[in-house]
Amino acid sequence: MNENHVGPLATEQLEQLLMQAADILRGDLRASDYGEVIAPLIVLKRVSDQPGLLEVPDTARWSHVVAHHPRELGEALNRALLALELSNPRELKGLFDRIDFNGRFPSPSALQRLIYHFDSLRLGDDHLEFSDVLGRAYDRFLGAVSMADRRSGEFYTPRAVCRLLAELVRPQEGQSVYDPCAGSGGMLLQAAQYVEQHDGGEAELALYGQEKNNAAWFNGVMNLFLHGFENTSVSVSDCLADPLLEQGRLKQFDRVLTVPPFSMSYVRDEVGYPERMMYGWTPEGGKKADLMFVQHVLAVLRPDGVGTVVAPHGVLFRGGAEADIRRRLIEDGRLEAVIGIGPNVFHNTGLPACILVLRGTQGLPANRRGNVLFINAEHEITTGRAQNRLEPQHVERIVETFQGWVDIPGFASVVSLADIAANDFNLNIRRYVDTNPPAEPLLDVRAALTGGVPKREIELASERFRAFGIDLDDLFQRSAPHYVDFLEEGIGATAARIPELAADLEGRFIFRSRDWWQRQHHVFADVAGTNRLFTSGLRSKLRSSFCADLVPLRILGEHQLTGVLASWWSDHEDDLRSLNHRGPAGVLDRWHSNRPSWLGTSRIPPERDIAYVLDALGDDLCSRVRQLVIAERQSLVETYLSWGDRYATSLAELERQYETAAVRLKARMAALGHM
């Protein structure tokens, strides 16, 4: 039996309990079916523990269900879910139609263990750290299941991708948001979260979705319900065959975000409302429905709407009918940006993908018309053993670049429609943004022959060294007018001294970051416990002042600093939410219940201590900054050693070494009597 938790139940704790429930089911069910068993039990427990959420008849109360004999639990649960649905048709109609606890288990014992597992939980508002703990834990649970079962992974989009799409379209309070391939509901949830964090309070959005797979639809609707979103409408339907209608016409939306199935086949005669495909039809039966989904999104956007579609790279360059579709929608000004993301980010495919940012019939904003922005973010990932990850710092850089709409060498390029037309409307990102590193300078022939290092080559990196207080005279000795020599102590010894040479400015930089954080204490203290932390523009202000303080020191660049701050903010989101709702006491409670690894072994004070909380959060941020600085300094060592690899041994030196070796060999042979 689970122990009663001290303090409110946190997301991490409930997630762990859900994974333990999955362990009970392992061997009896496929991983993709876990949600259909676990979610109804969580719903019954939640509505029983928190009065007023739903109308709960006596037969649907948890206490009534658990009172049954183990052999009767399956039927009792079926009756409870039916009664709950009939009493709440607006919220639950059709949701439990496929659920049958009598047919799910080979024996009553597994179900009994599952009931026993959840029985001690208290899921009323007073026992939860946040009102959306159930939803957030369930969403993480779905993510873990999708990693374990690639079939279910088809319907689960990594939440970082959902967050990226939401930040690209920037939904606003009161708008309608739609995902035609809703899966587990991640796009809709991230759109709502974006509004909550930028406009304050609960998101007043109208959330719509379609999902043709029944199991995925169930998980998505459950996910939204457990998050507490009521203004939602997600149907079991195929968006290509049966699009959503309003008064007999295609329903229009302010924002559309979606990841359709890649390279799916379709049948033209089965596509409803074919006028949606205004730019043409892709070949049938050839696994090329990608641009059909794109055109569906274009058709349902309001005139001033914004949409994002994730697609395989083939949509950017395939010829024939697809090339004509690309040409027509580009000429109509419906394409705003093409963003390439790295490989192996999705659970069910290792292929790289692209994001198309689309506009309604009003087209692009006036200052962007006649152009398309290309962003090559294929390297903005963290490599993992089983799967690569798009992390907060990567999302931050992509979104900032999209909003800034400027050329960034090796990362982004604003391309005119004339240039795209000159390339036959081929949108292959590498045509416009080359991510290959600059070629190394050609080997200097004079240095290779007679020795020395060309000044022009090392001066290319001199600013990086000077940012750490290292001058070229610290690393080389003067030689010919345009050349320098390595120091007599040896290349390895000089490289080993670089950390010592950099220590002063490196220390100043890290001290400056700590000093900056100390000056933010009052900002956090002022909003602690006020529910204003996420609605005061605090994150944007922090980012601006963080960069203003540290960028002039030149050790780290702006995108490195904004990235580390974004990563820190994301990792501490629950800590900050707790600080926002309950003040420092809430943060200390959660650290007592589930000590985070980054906190180390220091004693956590039991009393309300805002200074301790802010110092601990700041220590983690500064530790991340320090790691970045160390990595940057290490890159200087590697650069210096690379010069050694190129120029340490000249042809003249090789000849001297050869001549010396020949003399020694001749003397040795003579000593042995062979001369």
Side-chain angles (χ1 to χ4, degrees), residues 162 177-180 182 185-194 205-210 220 224 229 232-234 255 257:
C162 298
V177 179
Y178 168 58
D179 183 352
M187 293 294 177
L188 301 178
L189 290 171
Q190 289 297 326
Q193 186 177 36
Y194 178 89
L205 288 176
L207 303 178
Y208 296 87
Q210 292 181 263
L224 290 164
F229 292 110
T232 64
S233 176
V234 181
R255 299 289 186 266
L257 314 82

Side-chain angles (χ1 to χ4, degrees), residues 26 31 40 96 198 297 311 345 363 388 404 455 485 518 540 635 666:
R26 188 167 286 113
F96 301 121
H198 289 78
V297 170
V345 168
N388 297 333
K455 282 185 177 180
D485 286 331
Q518 289 292 324
S540 178
S635 74
K666 186 175 181 180

Side-chain angles (χ1 to χ4, degrees), residues 300-311:
V300 301
L301 279 174
R302 293 188 187 279
D304 60 348
V306 186
T308 49
V309 181
V310 178

